[in-house]
Amino acid sequence: MKKRPGPSLDDLESGVIAGDRALLARAITLIESNRTDHQERAQELLRRLLPRTGGSHRIGVTGVPGVGKSSFIEAMGTRLVEQGRRLAVLAIDPSSARTGGSVMGDKTRMGRLSMDLRAFVRPSPSGGSLGGVARKTRETLLLCEAAGYDAVLVETVGVGQSEAMVADMVDAVLLLLLPGAGDELQGIKRGLLELIDVVAVNKADGDRITAARQARVEYASALRLVRSRGGEAPPVLVCSSHKGTGLDAVWGALRDHRSHLEVDGGLAKLRRQQDLRWMWALLEEGLMDRFRRHPETAAALPGLESAVVEGETTPSQAALQLLQLFLSGNSPRGVSE
Ligand code: GDP
């Protein structure tokens, strides 16, 4: 049987703009595809939709597995949609990038929110490099903005690199912590702490209320020296995703942070800087990809690698030789021949 042709670019464009969930999902599938022709169509779609992007509050949510990220997003998300907001939830799962498996768990996460037509929940793209997963998530975020979602939450696991990637695509990062895990903050590298804009101690319920309040005081003093993108030390709050307590205050802190950022064009500046860094990241990724696939450098690479390992040549000589091979094969003359 002949396969039905997919929607045209015009259909995808008007469907996304109209907020059609099925066409939005198709557009995201196009973005996530690694096929060259799909990539070209995806880039054309993004180019067309670009003027309609930029309007949402972009928020990253991070924390160790088990801290309650999906419970928090489910509880907070349900509240937001009940208040009339349209919410999209995306995820970057570093383990799915590497192995196709998942530390974030299966699709049963955020079950209620996934069923709610006012919310749009998309699991992490899987496979490929973490950089590739970040690109796909970032472009998906733009599609969601074009579709009119006024808040986009990007969830990731608090394990380093993926957090930095999320921080570079959002306006604010919310870190969830557990009560009574005093040395947890020390486990987070200082560089990462500087990416955090709001902190919430989750699971402040039952017999953990006191521990959560104590943890809040400890975390707040530990964070006093760290400046968030809003310019001040990140506020530390307590909440319970199960009981729903403290959630409004966490949302309020995120709104305040955003208002701070909007003063003097700070938000526009932040996004311009993020776009520039993104361009450079894509350039580096693209160059490395070309480099590895370049026939002459690919042929010379194993020999030069072992020569470096055996001490027969210096790393700088080997690198120079590879660069020369790469560039000679990519000179304008080489391309036109
Ligand atoms: P994630 O791995 O960070 O997404 O964490 P989950 O949302 O899957 O939650 C991990 C566990 O903590 C689950 O058993 C949740 O039911 C529980 N949990 C999440 N939030 C709360 C909360 O506010 N209070 C309590 N008591 N348990 C919670």
Side-chain angles (χ1 to χ4, degrees), residues 5-31 37-38 40-46 48-49 52 143 146-147:
S8 69
L9 267 187
D10 287 345
D11 291 343
L12 289 174
E13 182 187 359
S14 53
V16 169
I17 293 169
D20 180 314
R21 299 164 62 90
L23 284 168
L24 173 61
R26 295 292 291 263
I28 296 173
T29 305
L30 197 62
I31 294 256
D37 56 331
H38 288 174
E40 281 164 9
R41 272 160 56 82
Q43 289 309 316
E44 170 60 16
L45 181 63
L46 278 173
R48 292 190 196 181
L49 292 172
R52 296 177 181 271
L143 287 184

Side-chain angles (χ1 to χ4, degrees), residues 64-71 109 202-203 205 208 240-242:
V64 295
V67 70
K69 292 179 297 299
S70 66
S71 310
R109 305 173 88 246
N202 189 36
K203 306 196 187 182
D205 47 47
R208 277 191 272 209
S240 163
S241 306
H242 277 188

